[in-house]
Amino acid sequence: LTGCRDSAATFAAWVAKRDAGIAYLAATGRSISEARRVLAQWSLPEPEVFITSVGSEIWRRSAPGQYERCAKFAALLDKEWDRAEVEDVLRAQDLKPQPVYEQRRWKISYMGTAEEADNIRDRLYEHRLSARVVASHGRFIDVLPRAAGKANAIRFVAREFGLDLADCVACGDSGNDLDMLTRCGRAIVPSNAFDEIASLTRPGLYRSKAPHALGVLEGLEQLGMAQSAVARTMAE
């Protein structure tokens, strides 16, 4: 959504005027505090629900300007997650950790390539440890509980609306979006997407000609969820 202020402003207008039957969720690799900071920086509206830290935390609005982490989702992740054991096994890999503020209870984050992410998967498999390894932006690696991930978190929230993943539209541009772009009913990829998802093909995938929020609205227009006038205004 970020990258163009005019596009962000028009997306914000769409959120404010969208059909009442459309829920707006933000799924991000960032922590809740960082996600809120970035949305404020770009004058983008906060959603009812944040899915943060690469789908390892769900935060619901509990009061104006306040969010509460979902305890039920946290308990689900705890069932097969031994953070200390995972860290011990990976210590021998000589990996460079991301900054401490990127480390979360259900997310261990390193700097590294997709090839190094494959090595981590192999190492964890050898030790029979259940975890999900996500590579993104060509330089980040996140290790999560198997039950985490953006798609699993979206499905968890969707069920509360009486929906499933087939009823959801995912918009994303990097490797940590890959699971939701693959598993949601429809997917939108803006033109500024990273090469790591360039080969993604599937029914229901729309690749926008426009970048950033304009690309999101272009895809929503194709689905009949945004008026063509909105996209034209943004293009102008």
Side-chain angles (χ1 to χ4, degrees), residues 168-236:
C168 299
V169 181
C171 312
D173 63 5
S174 75
N176 67 36
D177 299 317
L178 190 58
D179 67 336
M180 69 175 184
L181 291 172
T182 302
R183 294 170 57 194
C184 286
R186 297 290 186 273
I188 299 168
V189 176
S191 65
N192 61 293
F194 286 82
D195 289 342
E196 59 204 17
I197 60 172
S199 61
L200 175 62
T201 58
R202 50 152 290 192
L205 171 69
Y206 180 79
R207 288 190 175 272
S208 299
K209 298 179 177 63
H212 309 300
L214 173 57
V216 173
L217 284 176
E218 181 185 324
L220 292 174
E221 180 186 335
Q222 292 293 317
L223 295 173
M225 297 170 67
Q227 298 296 321
S228 59
V230 172
R232 283 201 303 271
T233 300
M234 182 173 267
E236 293 168 0

Side-chain angles (χ1 to χ4, degrees), residues 118-194:
D118 288 337
N119 293 335
I120 290 174
R121 290 187 189 95
D122 292 342
R123 180 79 174 177
L124 294 174
Y125 180 78
E126 289 172 5
H127 287 264
R128 298 184 179 182
L129 288 175
S130 177
R132 180 184 298 272
V133 182
V134 180
S136 62
H137 298 86
R139 58 196 178 101
F140 299 135
I141 302 171
D142 296 301
V143 183
L144 318 167
R146 175 61 60 183
K150 292 183 179 180
N152 285 343
I154 292 171
R155 181 177 60 184
F156 188 94
V157 175
R159 285 173 174 171
E160 298 176 347
F161 289 91
L163 306 172
D164 58 30
L165 282 175
D167 302 304
C168 299
V169 181
C171 312
D173 63 5
S174 75
N176 67 36
D177 299 317
L178 190 58
D179 67 336
M180 69 175 184
L181 291 172
T182 302
R183 294 170 57 194
C184 286
R186 297 290 186 273
I188 299 168
V189 176
S191 65
N192 61 293
F194 286 82

Side-chain angles (χ1 to χ4, degrees), residues 4-214:
C4 171
R5 290 207 171 271
D6 289 343
S7 300
T10 308
F11 180 83
W14 174 81
V15 171
K17 298 177 181 178
R18 73 190 188 283
D19 187 285
I22 300 174
Y24 162 49
L25 284 67
T28 175
R30 300 175 185 269
S31 65
I32 180 69
S33 57
E34 269 294 286
R36 297 186 70 185
R37 182 189 66 79
V38 171
L39 290 186
Q41 181 182 2
W42 286 87
S43 300
L44 284 161
E46 291 193 329
E48 289 298 313
V49 179
F50 274 106
I51 292 171
T52 64
S53 301
V54 199
S56 63
E57 298 177 15
I58 295 173
W59 296 82
R60 294 183 185 82
R61 183 177 289 153
S62 56
Q66 297 181 26
Y67 287 83
E68 182 177 341
R69 190 172 64 196
C70 176
K72 288 184 178 180
F73 188 66
L76 175 66
L77 300 191
D78 274 335
K79 288 182 179 179
E80 297 182 348
W81 179 240
D82 189 329
R83 180 192 173 92
E85 189 173 2
V86 170
E87 286 184 305
D88 285 345
V89 166
L90 295 181
R91 196 164 286 120
Q93 296 290 99
D94 193 28
L95 297 162
K96 180 182 178 180
Q98 290 182 35
V100 65
Y101 57 80
E102 294 293 350
Q103 311 298 335
R104 306 290 289 179
R105 177 173 168 181
W106 302 279
K107 181 171 81 77
I108 307 170
S109 298
Y110 302 99
M111 305 299 297
T113 63
E115 182 178 358
E116 288 173 301
D118 288 337
N119 293 335
I120 290 174
R121 290 187 189 95
D122 292 342
R123 180 79 174 177
L124 294 174
Y125 180 78
E126 289 172 5
H127 287 264
R128 298 184 179 182
L129 288 175
S130 177
R132 180 184 298 272
V133 182
V134 180
S136 62
H137 298 86
R139 58 196 178 101
F140 299 135
I141 302 171
D142 296 301
V143 183
L144 318 167
R146 175 61 60 183
K150 292 183 179 180
N152 285 343
I154 292 171
R155 181 177 60 184
F156 188 94
V157 175
R159 285 173 174 171
E160 298 176 347
F161 289 91
L163 306 172
D164 58 30
L165 282 175
D167 302 304
C168 299
V169 181
C171 312
D173 63 5
S174 75
N176 67 36
D177 299 317
L178 190 58
D179 67 336
M180 69 175 184
L181 291 172
T182 302
R183 294 170 57 194
C184 286
R186 297 290 186 273
I188 299 168
V189 176
S191 65
N192 61 293
F194 286 82
D195 289 342
E196 59 204 17
I197 60 172
S199 61
L200 175 62
T201 58
R202 50 152 290 192
L205 171 69
Y206 180 79
R207 288 190 175 272
S208 299
K209 298 179 177 63
H212 309 300
L214 173 57

